[in-house]
Amino acid sequence: MDLRFTAEEEAFRQDVRSFIRDNLDPVTHRKMMDGRIPTKEEIVAWQRTLNARGWATPSWSKEAGGPGFSVVERYIFLDELHQAPAPEPVSFNVSMIGPVISAFGTPEQKDRFLAATANIDIWWAQGFSEPGAGSDLAALRTSARREGDHFIVNGHKIWQGMGHHADWMFTLVRTNPDAPKKQMGISFLLIDLRLPGVTIRPIITSDGRHEVNEVFLDDVRVPADCLVGGENRGWDVTKFLLSNERTGIARIGMTKHLIRRVKRLAGDDEAVLRKAAALEAELKILEITQLRILDAQRGSNEPDPRSSVLKLKGVELRQAASELLLEAAGPQALEVRTDEDPFGEENTEWLGTIMPNYAILRAASIYGGSSEVQKTIVAKTILGLG
C-alpha cells in the first residue's frame, strides 16, 4: 500500500488550487468562508467557469463530456474545493442526473440534456421523498398513467432541495400499482417544472432558511420521451443514482475548514484548542482511511462498500466540528446580519451563520443514506454479519 500521491497527482492538486485562487469571485469566496450560501447567480457563474475549464463534472467519463478523472483526481479536486472553500458543482446535476442519463438515457436524451446539465443551463431538482415515503422510498404513491404519448402524473413530493431554483425535476412515479413487489412498479421520469399543474411551495427550516420545498403534481402531462430506463424499471435507475450520490461524502476538506475557523475564534482558549486538536487527530485517521480506499481503487471506478465507513465517520466529525465552532463563537453566534451588510475588516467573521449551519448539519446523518443504513451496509458487506 502506498498512501503517497504521485508527482502527477501533486501537480494536478497545484493546478486546481491555482485555478480556484485565480478564478473564484472574491464575494462568492467570502460567503463560503463565512458559511453563507451564495446566490443562484453566483453558483451558476462558478459552475460555468469550471465547465469552461472542463472540470464542472468531475465524476463524468470523457464519453459523457466530463474530464475522465481517476478516483484519486476526483478526490483531490473536491478536497481543494472544500478547503478553499468554493462551491461544489450542483450535485443534483453532476452527481445524480448526469450519470443517470449517461448510463440509461436514449441518444436523444443525452444530446438534449447532458451538455445543458454540465453548464447548468438546466438546474435539476430531485423528486424522491414523499410524505409517508422518505426512508422507505419504494412506498411512494405519486402515480403516472400512460395516455398515448404522455404520462399523466399526480402526487406530492417533499424535502426537494433547491427546487425553487430548478427548471426540471427527476422523479420516481408509480406506473404499475399491481406489481407483485412495490419496487417493480416504479418508473423514473424527467419533469419540466414549468408545465401546467406543477406547484412549488417553500418549506422554511428551523434555521430560517429556504432550501427545501414541497411539490404538488396535479394532472401534469409529461411527454413519454422523458421516461428514463424503461417503464417500471425505475428502481434499477434509482440504485445507480444513489451509489453516485454517496461518492465522496466524507467531506474531509469541509471539516478542515471548520476546524480552522474554530482555531481563529478560540484565540488562547486552551479548552477549545485541546478539543480542536483531538478532532484533527481523528480527522487525520479518517483521511488515511480514505487514502487507503483510494489506493485500492486506483485504475477502477467501481464503488467500494468501505465508503460507508467514510460517510459515517465523516458526518460525525463534521457535526462535532460545527458544535465546537458554536462553542468557540459563544453568544456572538446569535448575532443577526444580512447579506446587505458591508464585509467590514478583512478579519471580521460572520458569526451569525454558525448556529444555523450547526442546526442544518444535523440532517447530514440522514441524507445520502442514513447512519443506520450505512451501519447495515458495513455489517453485511464488510463484517459479513447477518
Side-chain angles (χ1 to χ4, degrees), residues 17 92 114 168 212 215 227 265 289 318 325 333 346 353 357:
R17 187 174 297 173
F92 302 113
L114 283 181
W168 283 70
V212 292
V215 180
L227 175 71
L265 291 175
T289 302
R318 199 149 36 107
L325 186 57
E346 182 62 28
T353 61
N357 287 340

Side-chain angles (χ1 to χ4, degrees), residues 110-234:
K110 293 176 184 179
D111 289 343
R112 181 180 183 184
F113 291 117
L114 283 181
T117 295
N119 201 50
I120 212 164
D121 298 329
I122 298 174
W123 186 305
W124 290 90
Q126 181 182 33
F128 280 14
S129 294
E130 298 183 4
S135 298
D136 185 11
L137 184 57
L140 63 90
R141 291 182 291 180
T142 295
S143 65
R145 183 182 73 257
R146 184 71 180 259
E147 281 191 4
D149 293 333
H150 289 79
F151 287 95
I152 310 303
V153 181
N154 285 277
H156 179 193
K157 300 292 181 177
I158 200 166
W159 310 124
Q160 188 193 56
M162 297 298 179
H164 51 298
H165 291 338
D167 307 295
W168 283 70
M169 174 177 71
F170 53 91
T171 191
L172 296 179
V173 295
R174 189 163 299 285
T175 43
N176 181 6
D178 301 319
K181 292 184 178 180
K182 55 188 178 182
Q183 292 89 344
M184 293 181 178
I186 292 173
S187 297
F188 193 102
L189 276 184
L190 311 178
I191 299 178
D192 187 337
L193 292 175
R194 295 157 293 192
L195 288 173
V198 177
T199 303
I200 300 175
R201 294 180 185 169
I203 298 173
I204 306 302
T205 50
S206 61
D207 59 359
R209 292 177 178 174
H210 176 198
E211 292 187 23
V212 292
N213 306 270
E214 55 183 341
V215 180
F216 297 89
L217 304 161
D218 298 303
D219 288 331
V220 181
R221 293 179 59 83
V222 179
D225 62 7
C226 290
L227 175 71
V228 178
E231 194 165 341
N232 300 318
R233 299 296 303 275

Side-chain angles (χ1 to χ4, degrees), residues 54-317:
W55 289 349
T57 53
S59 61
W60 294 17
S61 67
K62 288 186 177 180
E63 292 73 21
F69 285 162
S70 68
V71 290
V72 177
E73 288 172 330
R74 194 183 314 159
Y75 165 77
I76 290 172
F77 176 73
L78 291 175
D79 188 57
E80 287 299 318
L81 286 181
H82 294 159
Q83 290 205 64
E88 272 190 65
V90 175
S91 61
F92 302 113
N93 285 42
V94 172
S95 300
M96 300 184 197
I97 192 59
V100 161
I101 292 175
S102 179
F104 295 92
T106 64
E108 292 77 16
Q109 288 170 340
K110 293 176 184 179
D111 289 343
R112 181 180 183 184
F113 291 117
L114 283 181
T117 295
N119 201 50
I120 212 164
D121 298 329
I122 298 174
W123 186 305
W124 290 90
Q126 181 182 33
F128 280 14
S129 294
E130 298 183 4
S135 298
D136 185 11
L137 184 57
L140 63 90
R141 291 182 291 180
T142 295
S143 65
R145 183 182 73 257
R146 184 71 180 259
E147 281 191 4
D149 293 333
H150 289 79
F151 287 95
I152 310 303
V153 181
N154 285 277
H156 179 193
K157 300 292 181 177
I158 200 166
W159 310 124
Q160 188 193 56
M162 297 298 179
H164 51 298
H165 291 338
D167 307 295
W168 283 70
M169 174 177 71
F170 53 91
T171 191
L172 296 179
V173 295
R174 189 163 299 285
T175 43
N176 181 6
D178 301 319
K181 292 184 178 180
K182 55 188 178 182
Q183 292 89 344
M184 293 181 178
I186 292 173
S187 297
F188 193 102
L189 276 184
L190 311 178
I191 299 178
D192 187 337
L193 292 175
R194 295 157 293 192
L195 288 173
V198 177
T199 303
I200 300 175
R201 294 180 185 169
I203 298 173
I204 306 302
T205 50
S206 61
D207 59 359
R209 292 177 178 174
H210 176 198
E211 292 187 23
V212 292
N213 306 270
E214 55 183 341
V215 180
F216 297 89
L217 304 161
D218 298 303
D219 288 331
V220 181
R221 293 179 59 83
V222 179
D225 62 7
C226 290
L227 175 71
V228 178
E231 194 165 341
N232 300 318
R233 299 296 303 275
W235 198 248
D236 294 333
V237 179
T238 301
K239 288 188 293 184
F240 175 86
L241 182 149
L242 291 175
S243 71
N244 280 281
E245 180 188 4
R246 293 168 188 166
T247 299
I249 207 163
R251 303 292 196 263
I252 291 171
M254 287 184 177
T255 307
K256 287 181 179 179
H257 171 65
L258 289 175
I259 293 175
R260 284 198 294 268
R261 287 196 76 189
V262 168
K263 289 180 173 180
R264 287 201 302 271
L265 291 175
D268 57 359
D269 188 330
E270 291 187 6
V272 172
L273 291 175
R274 280 197 300 270
K275 292 178 183 179
L279 273 180
E280 282 185 305
E282 287 196 75
L283 191 63
K284 188 62 178 178
I285 294 170
L286 179 64
E287 188 171 20
I288 291 171
T289 302
Q290 177 145 343
L291 292 175
R292 289 170 57 200
I293 294 174
L294 287 173
D295 181 66
Q297 288 182 312
R298 287 183 193 270
S300 169
N301 283 302
E302 291 299 314
D304 190 318
R306 292 179 297 174
S307 63
S308 291
V309 176
L310 301 178
K311 199 274 183 180
L312 275 168
K313 193 62 180 178
V315 166
E316 178 185 315
L317 292 180

Side-chain angles (χ1 to χ4, degrees), residues 129 134-135 159 245-246 249 311 315 319 360-374:
S129 294
S135 298
W159 310 124
E245 180 188 4
R246 293 168 188 166
I249 207 163
K311 199 274 183 180
V315 166
Q319 289 176 337
I360 202 65
L361 195 52
R362 301 312 98 184
S365 305
I366 300 172
Y367 59 66
S370 69
S371 293
E372 292 76 11
V373 169
Q374 302 307 315

